[in-house]
Each structure stands twice: as structure tokens, then as C-alpha cells.
Amino acid sequence: MKTVHQPVFPFTAITGQDDMKLALIINAVNPRAGGVLLRGEKGTAKSSAVRALGALLDKPFVELPLNISEDRFLGGIDIQAAVKHGRNSVKKGIAADAHRGFLYVDEVNLLDDHIVDLLLHTASNGFVQLQREGVSAEYPAEFVLCGSMNPEEGELRPQFLDRFGLAVQVSSSGSVADRVMLMENRELFDNEPESFIKAHEDKENSLKKRIADAGELLPFVSVSQEIKTHIAETVLAANAAGHRADIIITEAAKAIAAFDKRTEVTKEDADKAAEFALLHRRNEMQGSSPEGGENSDSGEDKDKKEQSEHNEQKSKGSKNENSSEADASPEQKQNEGSETETVFAAGEPFRVRRVEAPKDRKIRRGSGRRTRSRTSLKHGRYVRSSDNRRSDDIAIDATLRAAAPFQRFRTAPDGMAWALKPEDIREKVREKRTGSFILFVVDSSGSMGAKSRMSAAKGAVLSLLLDAYQKRDKVAMITFRDKKAETALSPTSSVELAERKLSELPTGGRTPLTSALNEGKKLTDRYLRHNPDAKPIVILLTDGRANLSFEEGQNPRKEAAQAAELWAKDQRIHFIVIDAEKKGLVDFALAGALAEQLGADFFEINELRADTLLNAVKRSINE
Amino acid sequence: MNRKIYPFPAIVGQDELKKALVLNVINPSVSGVLIRGEKGTAKSTAVRSLAEILPEIDIVPECPYNLSPEDSARVCQICGREECSENKRSVRRRVPVVELPVGATEDRVVGALNLEHALKGGERRFEPGLLAWANRGILYVDEVNLLEDHIVDVLLDSAAMGVNTVEREGISFSHPARFTLVGTMNPEEGELRPQLLDRFGLCVTVSGMKDAEKRVEVIERRLAFEENPEKFMESWQAECDLLRDKITAAKALLPLVEADRTSMMRIAVICMEAEVDGHRADIIMLKTAKTLAAWNGRKAVSDEDILEAAKFVLPHRMRRQPLQQVGRA
């Protein structure tokens, strides 16, 4: 493999970040600690630290690029050997290159699902089993998995998360002296990397020796019964699933002891190890547990949400030092200030759960992160190949690999090295995520509670857009009151635009429901014309009391029913009706009837707030 | 290709934008600039004009990676062209400006299997892509917020590492890809992913000019340029030369510029008060302040340099309240 050697910032020159460095060292000393996941804000030397460690050790250190293809991960037939020498041999993938070393994935939360699957499979097996393209092979692939990620860009699947033995929450330093030192070192390194590296050579060498010594000492480190019990109790208290955590804590604690030149694990070693091993395994409500997957939070917003959830505890309790929650306090203060209610203020935005339409096999187009689907255009990432011909998107590499085993028996045409047959041809299977389109249709007529409805709907729109920020969704909003319905917000993914457009919307007047349904249909029709494979979600927030007809002289309710049925004909649209009727003495159940006409999911919400609204929506979509 | 390029100094106003670009030319480690603004505010014109005032660098002839002769001796077994490493010829070329179109496919961006070699010779050879051409140059992405996600991932990787690593389609290959990332975007069409946002060293927001006189000037110059580009370019030649000389002088002065401890502490405090994520803001602000000092012909970083640097470095890094606009500092 040809590699470019870039000067690497020395491990020992990294300022602060002791936990991160220790977690990495633990894995260098004892691979059984199971790898490490570094989570944290951008620009905190996460990837620099991993790469620095890689440069320090005499072990394979392999990086897995995000756009890796299957054949390069697992391996495949060596086309060059096949066609030049008529030999069917295997070109191993990087899983094998990483054997007995480190495999590092930067931005691990952006890794494509199909590679994650292969990675998980390989990591749990410890070897690669290759059965493809006329070659079969098996080779060892035991590696320490290291990942780094910025949670702003989304979370890991729980199963993937569990694959990392340890996890560290990394944040920036709050000390001026540290920050200055960091700047100085960085400038020195950037200006003259060689001499900077030279200046740190002694330190690097002694760390390297200390790690090697610790590795030798490791088999002699013992764990007393008392410590074992302590570990088990710690894991139980954290309510972590399974027994993996116990084992990992024990192994990591042994590494800490060995690195400290001791042969006995202390309670402190175990506690430190538990901190790393339980960060992502804790099954409690409290804390910055990254698991669950249902919260694809951006860091800051998550902090905010947690803050509001745990406000009371925090105001009495001590300051939480080791999670990012502590950082968010000033933000929250500002926020409280800005929340003085104007009449039509948006409901407070909050984090939403991940809405994910089920992955289907339909070929569709679009760009976004929410829905992953196969794509028919030559866009999206080439994820694997197939001999199922549908387009002319030929996968040359796969085609050649398919043809390679037969080259011995075929004669290539003049000037060509290959004899290709139609059955060799492979096509690229591409995958990309399509954003969703969510349309809110909100009743802003004079019936009771119009203002709180508007506020809740605005809050929901803005929250969805914050979420959409990561997912490439588009959101639109139609309001209806008085004479007619109006498109208050055309489909957009811009939070700013939505904020501006939704800032002032009048309420009051009669309920032109038919007009709203027609307007909504127009909008989804237009959207579906451009994005025929999209699956729009329409959320209708009304009490259903249509009292203004579209055409003069018509019965408004009958007319609305017809419009609803017409709109519902498009199977691609998912409807949700939320009953905004204030519960009183008489229950008209008009919204329920409307839901039936639309074939919609139906919710009644007693206290309409943006978050209850959204959660209802999400639940409905996830089912 | 002889495209008519509007002279950089002839752009009316937009001083911040022009300065941010010039700072990147003087010191590429300032790490690029993100230009936010509405349509028709000379965003793209400014970037394309930049090509004319860029300094020249030494490049191995016909090297697809724009390697310098020293680099090629160190890293180059890449394309197997022996002539590169053996005779150290080099040519002077303008710093390359490579445009990444929004619809570009991944294989064109990162490179792919060379078809001809594969089919004719049965050889696995790498065909370089845009990231190779942009090495040591400027990678320009118009409407960067519309870029497909998987292309953004690739950009992030290379921008962070300075290396493009390809492990796909049977190819296992890596090559240097150090580039200055320049992107433009219209915020109304959606925001950038936070991780990519942070990759841009500097950020400027441009808007249409409010001054009627200046607007007239914009129109007049544009018309003069369209009517007779050669003549227009010629009339600005002296200004261009002046600017280029000033850039060259600043580049030479830059390694001598120093920031004392007080300056660095000031930077750290500003960044902490702005509650930026991580430490990249500190590092970039220091580099920007030094570059500003060099641009102003000074060897020491002043308070003004730091404050000016902060205006470029912080707007897109401040911890935003959820609904606060980027750049609304």
C-alpha cells in the first residue's frame, strides 16, 4: 500500500485531555479493553490524539475512510494478478491490514450502515471470511477499534456504540494558560514540524517504552475478589445491560495498574476504568448518556434539553464537571431572557426524536439524511455492486473482479487485457439519504385556542427544522383563517427563513377548511412533481369545524370531506390529524371524521404544546 | 483556456470579503473562507478573480498532484513516473484554483480506477480527481450548502488530514491533498453541517451595497468590462501588480511575525467568552492576526490585529442559540 507520510503531531505534546490520552494508552497496553470512542465537540484534538498514538506504536495503524467500498474493507480477488498471471489470488482488505493493531474511523457516526454492519461482524468474529468472485479465503482481523465523532452530526446505533469498550467525552480546556500553550505548540509544529517532532523525541520514546513495559507486566496484574465485587456492583448501579461492561472494566483497570507499574488493581483503577466503560452504557435517565439512538441531538441543544429536564436537581446539586452539561449554563440564561412571550411567539423549540420512515427498496432520488434509500440516478454513494441490470451505471471494478477468475480460459481481443462477457457486467448500487417533506396545515381561525395552536405549530416547525438541519428535511406551513388558506412558509430547510416568515401570523375569523385542503394538495402535488419518490407527511391541526365553503352555497363540511378524500387518493402522502378542539361539554368529533376521510392517524391532545404535538407526530410516523 | 477574468481590485466595496481571501493567499494555513450572502453580491466573481493575483509556486511538470520537487522526492512513488523523482525539474505555476461543481460525483472528486489501464493492461492504476488537482491550491465550492452529504464527508476527511485516502473500487491509495477551502452559500437555502462549518477558517457575510453611488459604480465597471474586457483588464493592471507585490511582501514577512504572550492570552479569553467549541478558533485567530500584521507590514501582532481577526474567525463558531442566525454576532 502506498501511503503518504505526513508529519504527525506528537502524542506527548498534546495539551491536557488526560482522560482521552489515558483511554488510548489503556488500549495500547491491553487490546482487550475493547477500543475507544472519543465523543466531543469539534476542534478538541480527538483525531490528532489517535493518529499521534498510531505513530508512536510499533503496531499496524489503519484508518478507515468514510467512503470505503466493501471490497477494500474485506478484500477481493486481485484483478491484476488474475489478468496478468492468470492467478486467482486475494487482495486483502484493510480489516486484515489492521490485524493486531488499531483500526481508526474518524467521524465514525457518518459511516455508511452497510460498512458498519461489516465492521461489527468482523470485529466480533476476529477474522474475515471471504467467499466471493471465485475466491475463498479466511484471514485474521483482530483489531482495536477507535472512533471519534462530534455528536452534533448524529449518534451511533446502540449496537455499534456497545462495540467500543471505552468512551470518553472530550471538551475544550477552560484554562487560559492551557489554551495559550496549545496555540504556541500548534504554531511551532505548523511552522517547523520536523524540529518540533525532534524536540519531543525523548518524551515520545519514554512513553513508548512505558507502554511496552506495561504490556509485559499485564499478565502478572491480579484483581482481588474485593475489587471484582466492587466492579460488579458499579455496573449494577449503572444499570448497564449484559456482562460486557464488567469484563471491560476489569481489563482496562489491569492496564491502568500495569501502566502505573503495579501488579495489583486498586479501587481507584477500577473506578477510573468504570468511568470510561460506563459512559456510553449507563441506562439511567440522568446524565449525558449517548445511547438510545432515538435522540439524534446536536450537542448544544441536547445540553439545553437536559438542562431543562434536570433543572431542579442542578440548582440544588453540585456542578457537574465531567459532562458537557456544565458548559451550557450561560446559554440557558440567555435563553430564559429571550423567552418573554409575545402573543404569537413560537413554542419553545426542543429536541425531537428521530423520525425515520422505514427503509424501502424503492428507487428514489433526493438529497438528505433522514431516509436512506436506493437511488436511480448516478448520484449517491456507490455502496456495492449487483448483477441485476437496471441502468448503465457500470461498476468497472466489480465487473473486472467478476471476470477475473475466467481470464485463464478466455482469449482477450487485440489490444485488450480482458475478455469480458455480458454476464460479467456489474452495476453500481448507490445509496443516499432522502430528506422528508413535512407540511403543517394549521387552523388559525377564531375558534378557541387559535393562538396556542399557532404557537405550538410554530414551535413544532422550528424544532423540526433544527432537527432537519442534520437530516436535510424540508418543512412547509399553511395557515387558514377568515376567507382563505395561505402558504405561510414554502418548503424550506432554512431555520432562519422559517423564523422570519413565521414571526407574525394573524389569527381569528372563520374556518375555510376546504380552501386549506385544496391549498395543501396543490403544495404536495407540486412537491411530488419534482420529487416523485418523496413521501410527504402532512400534519393537520384543526378542530374540523369548517364553516366557510370554498364555492358559494355549498355545505362547508360536505365540501371539506370531498376535498379530503380527493387529497387522500395520493398514497404517497402520510396524513396526521391532530384534534385541536378544546374539550368542553359537547364533543363534536369533527376532526375525527376528517381524519377518517383522509385515512390519517388521529390524535387528541389536551394540552397543546409544541413538544406534545411533535411527539405525537413522531410516534405516528415511527409506527 | 483564456477566460476573461474580472480584475480583483476592480470589485467595488466588499472589503471584508477581499481581505479574507487575501489573508488566505498570504497564509494558506488560515484554512479557507466561507462566504455567506444573498445572490449577486460578487461572491463568485471575487473568488474567480483571485486566480489572477495568486503567487506562483514550483511544480513538477505535469504532476497531477501539483507536487513540488522536494515533495516528489519525499512522497512520490505515486504515479510511477520516474522522471519526477530523478531529474528534479520544476516549473513555476500560479497557485491552482479548482472548482468543485455541486453535482460532482464522488469518483471525480476523490479519483478512481483508471479505466484505460485496467482494461488494456490489466493494471490497477489510480486516476486522480479534483482533490489531487487542488493540492497546494484553492478548492472552490459554489453553493457549498447544496453539496451532497457523501461528498461533504470526503471533503471533511481531506481537509482535516491534508491527505486524500482512497480505499474503493479495488484501489488502495493516498496522496497529499492540502487545499484552501473557499465556499459560498446563500443561507436562505439551508445551513451547513456544523462539522463542515468549522473547517472554514474564516467567515464573511456579504450583502448588497446600500450606497447608491457605489451601486452605480458597480454597474459602470461591469459594463466597461463586458464591453471591452482586454482594455478593462489593462486599465487595472497596475492595481493588480501592486496588490500582488504587497501579498508577496506579506508572505515574506509572515515567518518573522511574532505574537507575545499577552496577545495569545487575549485570544484565548476572547474565544472562551464567545464559547466556541474546541480550540480551532484560538489557533486560527492567532494565525489570522499574524497574517494581518504581516499584511500591514508589522512584525508584532497588535490588539487591532486580534480584534480584526476575531471578526473573521468567530461569527460561524459562536455557540448559537438554536434559532440565532449564523453571523449575527
Side-chain angles (χ1 to χ4, degrees), chain A residues 26-81:
Chain A
I26 290 173
N27 276 286
V29 172
N30 185 2
R32 285 196 200 149
V36 58
L37 174 68
L38 308 176
R39 297 176 91 245
E41 60 199 58
K42 46 207 177 271
T44 43
K46 299 184 293 291
S47 52
S48 304
V50 183
R51 290 182 179 124
L53 185 78
L56 183 73
L57 300 175
D58 297 318
K59 285 182 178 176
F61 178 80
V62 180
E63 276 203 43
L64 190 152
L66 290 179
N67 60 348
I68 191 166
S69 64
E70 229 173 80
D71 66 289
R72 284 305 308 135
F73 181 72
L74 295 176
I77 188 168
D78 185 339
I79 53 169
Q80 205 161 312

Side-chain angles (χ1 to χ4, degrees), chain A residues 548-574:
Chain A
L548 182 72
S549 63
F550 190 62
E551 277 168 47
E552 226 162 296
Q554 294 280 337
N555 175 332
R557 285 186 196 153
K558 260 196 194 142
E559 195 194 48
Q562 281 166 4
E565 271 159 19
L566 187 67
W567 196 8
K569 275 192 183 140
D570 198 323
Q571 297 292 322
R572 290 171 291 187
I573 307 171
H574 184 126

Side-chain angles (χ1 to χ4, degrees), chain A residues 130-150:
Chain A
L130 199 66
Q131 286 293 354
R132 52 195 288 170
E133 295 141 3
V135 291
S136 81
E138 201 175 283
Y139 33 77
E142 282 175 36
F143 45 78
V144 172
L145 184 61
C146 287
S148 55
M149 61 176 274
N150 173 1

Side-chain angles (χ1 to χ4, degrees), chain A residues 462 465 469 489 492-502, chain B residues 36 185-191 320 322-328:
Chain A
L462 293 173
L465 279 173
Y469 199 72
L489 181 69
T492 180
S493 51
S494 162
V495 180
E496 290 162 32
L497 194 71
E499 189 193 17
R500 219 174 321 135
K501 294 257 164 133
L502 298 183
Chain B
R36 297 166 56 89
M185 63 176 278
N186 177 354
E188 293 203 341
E189 308 210 358
E191 274 306 331
R320 274 171 300 147
L323 299 181
Q324 191 182 326
Q325 263 179 321
V326 171
R328 194 204 280 164

Side-chain angles (χ1 to χ4, degrees), chain A residues 399-459:
Chain A
T399 304
L400 295 185
R401 282 198 303 272
F406 308 107
Q407 295 307 305
R408 286 190 278 183
F409 316 112
R410 297 182 190 165
T411 320
D414 273 354
M416 299 292 279
W418 294 83
L420 294 180
K421 295 197 167 180
E423 64 265 27
D424 299 333
I425 294 180
R426 296 290 183 273
E427 270 179 19
K428 290 178 177 175
V429 177
R430 294 178 187 265
E431 212 173 75
K432 73 193 290 187
R433 299 199 191 200
T434 339
S436 302
F437 173 49
I438 303 173
L439 169 64
F440 284 84
V441 182
V442 184
D443 185 347
S444 55
S445 69
S447 18
M448 282 199 291
K451 282 175 189 170
S452 71
R453 261 196 319 266
M454 289 302 283
S455 153
K458 281 185 208 171

